[in-house]
Amino acid sequence: MKPSLITDHPFGEDYAKRLGVAPWRGHLPGPKVEEWRFTPLRSLAKIAFVPATADIDVDVIPRNVPKVPGAVRLVLVNGVYRKDLSDTDLGKGVELSHGKVAAKEGSSLVALNAAYAPASLALHVNGKAKKIIHIISIGAAGPTPTALHPRITLTAEAGASVTLVESHVGLPGEAYFSNPVASITVGEGASVRRYVSVDEDSEDFHLATSLVKVAGGGTYEGFHLGLGGALTRQEIRVALTGENANVRLNGAYALTGTSHHDITTVIDHTLPNCTSNQIFKGVVDGESHAVYQGRIHVARDAQKTNAQLVHKALFLSRGPQVDCKPELEIYADDVQCAHGAATGEIDPNHLFYLAARGIDPETARSLLVEGFLADGVNEIGDEAVREIFGAAIGGWLKRRQA
Amino acid sequence: MALLEIENLHASVGGKEILKGITLALEPGEVHAIMGPNGTGKSTLSNVIAGREGYEVTKGNVWLDGKDVLAMAADARARAGIFLAFQYPVEIPGVTTSAFLKTALNAKRRAAGQPEIDAMELLKLVKAKTAVLGMPYDMIKRALNVGFSGGEKKRAEVLQMTMLEPIVAILDETDSGLDIDALKVVSEGVNSLRSPDRAFLVITHYQRLLDYIVPDHVHVMAGGKIVASGGKELALELEAEGYAKYLNAAA
């Protein structure tokens, strides 16, 4: 297996060999890779993570994992499927299998995942899935810094529909580095909704890659929530491979302390009459650092493309940093594409209005922050999940005040 | 004892004195109107009483039912019973009117040592109040003031006033931006709240509003002072003759 992005990175393969560290340390994208310019991995590379083992003793699901009403729970611990912690009845239309992960082309992180992923948790959907599938990925380092490589594959056949919720959480212990990869195929006229929540502890790393393909007439709705972690990146690459395919990709993040959170999206419009809409909103406090990169590529044949993206960030103090890079690459001439980006602070007129109704400043700020993020959260199509994610943001605000 | 007592109030903005000694007492049940030309300090007076930042009180006192208003933060003043109906209510995206009402009402209830209201009770209360005020109940599902027409915003202010049951309500140019129908609805809402244990301070530029909300006392403000006081007939006189003679008196 030859990873694609090693190049002249200081933690290159030879360097890794010479020092006798795990070879995957050489597979990190370096600062000269444009897509990683705002998210340096120096802090990650300093820690000697060892590949996860399956024998870690975990028999409880962490408390910060929400209960999704009526959902089937599938649990991964350190990337390994745990049947004993999972529900078995997936409901009609959904089949579960475990496949060996093929080492495919992809970024260095995807290659790294392929090299170490124990097996793929593969879901196959035919028809309309009745139950929400809730995948809980637990990182558990124990006494040694650990790297885990969860792998999820979801295939929705033509006309199928399914809703997937993913909770990425950790157990106390040493730091871990989670490198999940999700490969999602949305068949013709199929509909996949996928709601991802990353709520790692403040010393943990999470570099997730989502590879999504949407066939003609298919719809993919993704939502990505980020609430913590030392360094989190949620990279979502969507290829619209048939006509009249639609993607809605939204998200919200709330950062404090020294958290670094990166949302990188790449939408590939290759054929005519497809739409893509993105709304990402975030609040930043402390010394946190948020990154949003959104690239929309519209090929010459992709006429009548409608592609929109919006990113807005709200500063709760003067310490944080926000980098925003929208990129439109358009080769077709009959398209509607736009991007908008804005950053700001809480409006003192809003605070006074709430004060004039008897609301104390802390509560007022929380209300305004929740309101700001609601624009993104309200895009979540499933009502129960919308409430759960809204409550998670409420919890973050309470922790921040405490 | 007066519900609101303003004693020789002086206030500046950015070092410039705007209020130059306002003295006013609102007795229980009374409606006082303050009229005057633009730029004379009417809105400054309402902002100073409500506690907006950026105003420096250099002299004087404000008492709410015997409590020292100027010693309290804006939110504490509101919980103590002061309500400012804004000239331009702000739009707050993402915050639903119902979530906002619940938060405001519970802040007040907690301060008064009363149990908090839950979502169901709130809906019931809002249903009852909106019915009385002739407002669409659906309004509370929308984000606070976002996309509301001028009239809807002012009605929302009256709804909030109805729910928060203030001791003293200050209406800052509530008539601005209202057509005659909206003006009637808003005025009826205010009139329904008139009671012997509440007082109103109605700030307006035009006499028109006072046809609907009939004041007990009318004051003319010019150059940061109250230069004349009288009954409701004073408003009619101002409408006919304008503010010219008071401007000269203030100069």
Side-chain angles (χ1 to χ4, degrees):
Chain A
M1 180 204 71
K2 186 113 179 109
S4 54
L5 284 174
I6 308 172
T7 63
D8 55 350
H9 188 275
F11 299 95
E13 206 161 19
D14 290 340
Y15 182 89
K17 240 184 233 165
R18 237 182 304 154
L19 286 179
V21 296
W24 61 262
R25 285 183 72 188
H27 300 172
L28 299 174
K32 290 188 182 164
V33 178
E34 176 60 25
E35 282 196 345
W36 287 85
R37 194 155 63 91
F38 298 118
T39 299
L41 297 178
R42 286 186 300 272
S43 55
L44 169 65
K46 277 183 194 148
I47 302 173
F49 294 103
V50 301
T53 51
D55 58 4
I56 193 105
D57 184 25
V58 173
D59 52 12
V60 287
I61 289 167
R63 271 184 307 169
N64 60 338
V65 173
K67 281 217 159 32
V68 181
V72 181
R73 281 184 158 197
L74 301 175
V75 179
L76 299 171
V77 175
N78 286 349
V80 180
Y81 173 61
R82 287 284 296 266
K83 199 174 176 185
D84 57 318
L85 297 173
S86 302
D87 294 331
T88 45
D89 179 12
L90 296 179
K92 236 179 132 184
V94 183
E95 272 174 45
L96 176 67
S97 61
H98 313 282
K100 195 80 198 118
V101 175
K104 272 201 263 177
E105 289 294 305
S107 71
S108 56
L109 287 166
V110 174
L112 183 63
N113 177 284
Y116 285 94
S120 172
L121 182 75
L123 293 161
H124 199 107
V125 185
N126 223 325
K128 309 231 176 294
K130 283 274 183 304
K131 296 180 179 176
I132 292 177
I133 308 287
H134 185 187
I135 295 177
I136 299 163
S137 173
I138 301 170
T144 320
T146 300
L148 45 132
H149 305 274
R151 183 76 170 215
I152 297 161
T153 308
L154 174 75
T155 308
E157 294 293 341
S161 67
V162 66
T163 300
L164 184 68
V165 176
E166 281 175 40
S167 300
H168 295 265
V169 295
L171 287 173
E174 279 297 320
Y176 59 81
F177 160 41
S178 182
N179 177 35
V181 173
S183 304
I184 295 180
T185 308
V186 183
E188 279 190 17
S191 160
V192 172
R193 304 195 294 188
R194 175 167 174 252
Y195 307 121
V196 179
S197 155
V198 181
D199 193 1
E200 311 278 24
D201 290 333
S202 58
E203 68 277 16
D204 298 322
F205 297 83
H206 181 102
L207 303 177
T209 311
S210 300
L211 304 167
V212 183
K213 276 191 188 132
V214 188
T219 299
Y220 178 75
E221 180 200 327
F223 186 91
H224 293 260
L225 180 68
L227 294 176
L231 190 157
T232 298
R233 168 147 155 151
Q234 305 199 54
E235 176 175 324
I236 307 113
R237 311 180 85 92
V238 182
L240 300 164
T241 60
E243 286 197 42
N244 298 304
N246 309 296
V247 55
R248 287 168 47 209
L249 209 51
N250 306 297
Y253 58 83
L255 310 179
T256 188
T258 54
S259 277
H260 179 110
H261 188 268
D262 173 331
I263 297 254
T264 294
T265 69
V266 180
I267 313 270
D268 228 332
H269 285 265
T270 50
L271 290 166
N273 297 311
C274 293
T275 66
S276 66
N277 280 284
Q278 299 182 62
I279 300 174
F280 285 90
K281 298 194 89 171
V283 294
V284 284
D285 199 2
E287 306 283 313
S288 61
H289 185 180
V291 178
Y292 172 79
Q293 308 185 93
R295 191 162 91 223
I296 298 171
H297 177 265
V298 181
R300 192 184 306 175
D301 289 341
Q303 299 296 359
K304 307 283 181 196
T305 288
N306 187 323
Q308 315 285 333
L309 75 82
V310 172
H311 172 257
K312 287 183 184 170
L314 185 70
F315 283 77
L316 299 184
S317 58
R318 298 289 170 90
Q321 182 182 342
V322 174
D323 289 297
C324 175
K325 194 175 88 173
E327 280 178 285
L328 301 181
E329 261 180 78
I330 302 168
Y331 299 98
D333 53 15
D334 182 13
V335 299
Q336 283 185 30
C337 298
H339 65 77
T343 55
E345 291 177 296
I346 285 182
D347 185 340
N349 290 318
H350 288 183
L351 282 177
F352 177 63
Y353 188 80
L354 297 177
R357 298 297 175 257
I359 300 171
D360 68 86
E362 268 309 314
T363 307
R365 287 167 79 86
S366 291
L367 203 59
L368 293 171
V369 167
E370 279 181 87
F372 177 79
L373 296 178
D375 259 7
V377 175
N378 285 342
E379 294 293 315
I380 295 175
D382 186 273
E383 199 180 329
V385 177
R386 191 162 62 235
E387 273 178 28
I388 287 166
F389 279 30
I393 289 169
W396 180 87
L397 285 164
K398 282 208 182 76
R399 291 206 296 276
R400 180 184 155 265
Q401 277 181 34
Chain B
M1 187 171 48
L3 291 182
L4 188 74
E5 196 151 7
I6 304 168
E7 293 173 351
N8 192 28
L9 187 65
H10 290 250
S12 324
V13 177
K16 186 171 182 256
E17 189 167 58
I18 308 286
L19 301 182
K20 299 173 180 170
I22 304 278
T23 297
L24 203 59
L26 276 62
E27 298 296 333
E30 286 183 345
V31 174
H32 288 238
I34 293 189
M35 302 184 68
N38 286 327
T40 196
K42 299 193 302 293
S43 284
T44 298
L45 177 63
S46 62
N47 281 323
V48 167
I49 298 171
R52 189 192 277 270
E53 282 179 21
Y55 297 87
E56 196 197 346
V57 174
T58 50
K59 211 190 235 179
N61 286 304
V62 180
W63 306 98
L64 174 75
D65 211 8
K67 284 182 217 152
D68 183 358
V69 169
L70 299 179
M72 293 186 253
D75 54 311
R77 296 181 194 192
R79 290 193 297 273
I82 289 178
F83 184 94
L84 172 63
F86 283 64
Q87 182 177 6
Y88 303 110
V90 298
E91 300 192 0
I92 305 189
V95 177
T96 60
T97 305
S98 60
F100 161 75
L101 285 173
K102 184 163 168 255
T103 310
L105 202 55
N106 282 334
K108 179 154 192 198
R109 283 175 161 245
R110 267 200 308 277
Q114 294 165 335
E116 294 193 19
I117 192 167
D118 67 25
M120 288 308 292
E121 289 172 297
L122 179 86
L123 291 188
K124 252 194 226 164
L125 187 61
V126 171
K127 252 187 189 144
K129 301 287 188 194
T130 46
V132 171
L133 295 170
M135 296 180 193
Y137 163 73
D138 273 5
M139 187 164 99
I140 71 154
K141 292 182 191 162
R142 292 162 63 188
L144 186 58
N145 293 323
V146 176
F148 286 23
S149 69
E152 284 174 323
K153 281 181 187 166
K154 298 297 167 75
R155 279 191 232 187
E157 295 287 288
V158 175
L159 174 64
Q160 291 167 31
M161 195 193 299
T162 311
M163 297 190 63
L164 294 170
E165 301 178 326
I167 298 169
V168 170
I170 303 163
L171 277 61
D172 189 4
E173 309 253 1
T174 287
D175 48 341
S176 70
L178 287 192
D179 61 31
I180 200 76
D181 292 327
L183 189 67
K184 276 184 189 165
V185 172
V186 168
S187 303
E188 279 165 19
V190 171
N191 287 332
S192 72
L193 289 173
R194 289 178 78 153
S195 96
D197 45 17
R198 183 170 294 138
F200 288 86
L201 188 60
V202 180
I203 292 170
T204 182
H205 190 68
Y206 299 106
Q207 192 270 333
R208 193 178 64 161
L209 177 68
L210 304 180
D211 286 342
Y212 299 97
I213 304 172
V214 180
D216 301 298
H217 301 276
V218 175
H219 310 279
V220 181
M221 199 167 159
K225 291 183 194 164
I226 289 175
V227 293
S229 294
K232 62 186 176 198
E233 67 288 344
L234 182 55
L236 295 169
E237 181 201 313
L238 287 169
E239 185 76 358
E241 297 174 17
Y243 292 112
K245 75 175 181 187
Y246 298 106
L247 287 176
N248 295 335

